[in-house]
Amino acid sequence: MGETDAKLLRLEAKFNAADDRRKQATARTAELEEELDRLMSLVRQAEEKEAKKAAATARAFDRVMEARARSLAGLIVKVRVRKRWNTDDEESEITILKSLVADIDAMADEVSTKAE
């Protein structure tokens, strides 16, 4: 075997080792992609659950704001709900304000009626 063939055998060995490392890296990438797909599926499920919980919270918020407070205690309940609610939303702030104003107005009417 000539010197060139010996060199080719060494190069082949290096190529084979490099190719084995590439195959391992490709397999690892595939494993990670499978894991990512599984995790993304879990994320989508969690996001769907979160959206349902957010919608339920919004409905509960609406029910609180639609209920008529009859006393200071009722107004305080609405204030506590407001503190927990996402008040970055202008529409929510308007809903809260309208609800509190309607409650106070109803209480004022009741006080006026009793005073007469």
Side-chain angles (χ1 to χ4, degrees), residues 16-83:
N16 289 342
D19 193 44
D20 288 345
R21 290 189 297 272
R22 178 196 58 83
K23 286 178 181 176
Q24 289 174 350
T26 299
R28 180 65 179 142
T29 299
E31 289 173 11
L32 290 172
E33 287 173 343
E34 285 179 23
E35 181 67 9
L36 179 60
D37 289 345
R38 186 185 71 75
L39 290 173
M40 288 307 297
S41 176
L42 291 174
V43 167
R44 283 188 294 278
Q45 290 172 16
E47 287 172 340
E48 289 172 9
K49 189 173 186 178
E50 179 185 3
K52 288 178 184 176
K53 301 293 183 187
T57 303
R59 288 190 300 274
F61 170 81
D62 289 341
R63 286 192 299 272
V64 168
M65 292 306 145
E66 289 167 3
R68 186 62 53 228
R70 305 279 182 217
S71 67
L72 180 59
L75 293 174
I76 291 170
V77 166
K78 289 186 178 190
V79 169
R80 285 196 309 257
V81 167
R82 183 223 175 256
K83 284 182 180 180

